[in-house]
Amino acid sequence: TFERLEERTMLTTLTVDIADPTANDPGDNLYAQIQEAVDAASEGDLIKVHAGTYNPFVVNTDNLTIREARRSSNPVIDGDLNSGDENGVEINANGVTVKGLTVQNASAALDTNGVFVGGNGFFITGDDNILVGNSSSDNRFSGFSIQIGGNNLLKGNAASTNIGTGFRFTDSNSNILNGNMANDN
């Protein structure tokens, strides 16, 4: 069987580079912040992130890939840039792949009941997500937190010096951890 060309979905590669002065020019698929690229992306798109320090972001689109632009680019998501009720990277979608990002300083805020919310480096509520080669440190709560989500794969990630736990699972099942490291949480 063949797919009609008119019905084919074209996948897009979006680039994030906070240091590029041409970021955010109309129609160029180059963005200054990760959230801008996530908001512009469609299912199946690839977002490549260059070295730099970025604001926290939330993913609500299924089947995205967000990864460092080049091996050892080491893009950093810093919660201190946008304090309050924040997680560094929040994934509320399914089938998302995140590779090679560092999250630090995710803060937390008190909700109306006096309970701290936020403060996780990576916070996942979706299913079938893949996190590979990421690191999370100095966050208010957990380095990596999966709540409700299932069938997620966490491989080769590192959680260190988070105030809470390194890896936390709540009301979730069938998640796979392989070769992760947790120190001084």
Side-chain angles (χ1 to χ4, degrees), residues 61-74:
T61 302
D62 293 341
N63 302 315
L64 292 182
T65 298
I66 304 167
R67 66 173 179 83
E68 60 187 336
R70 291 184 195 88
R71 188 177 213 181
S72 300
S73 294
N74 299 323

Side-chain angles (χ1 to χ4, degrees), residues 119-157:
N120 298 290
F122 291 85
F123 182 72
I124 303 162
T125 62
D127 299 323
D128 304 311
N129 298 296
I130 301 171
L131 277 71
V132 178
N134 301 290
S135 64
S136 183
S137 62
D138 301 314
N139 297 294
R140 174 70 175 94
F141 282 144
S142 299
F144 295 81
S145 180
I146 297 179
Q147 184 173 334
I148 304 168
N151 299 314
N152 295 289
L153 170 63
L154 280 71
K155 182 177 180 180
N157 298 293

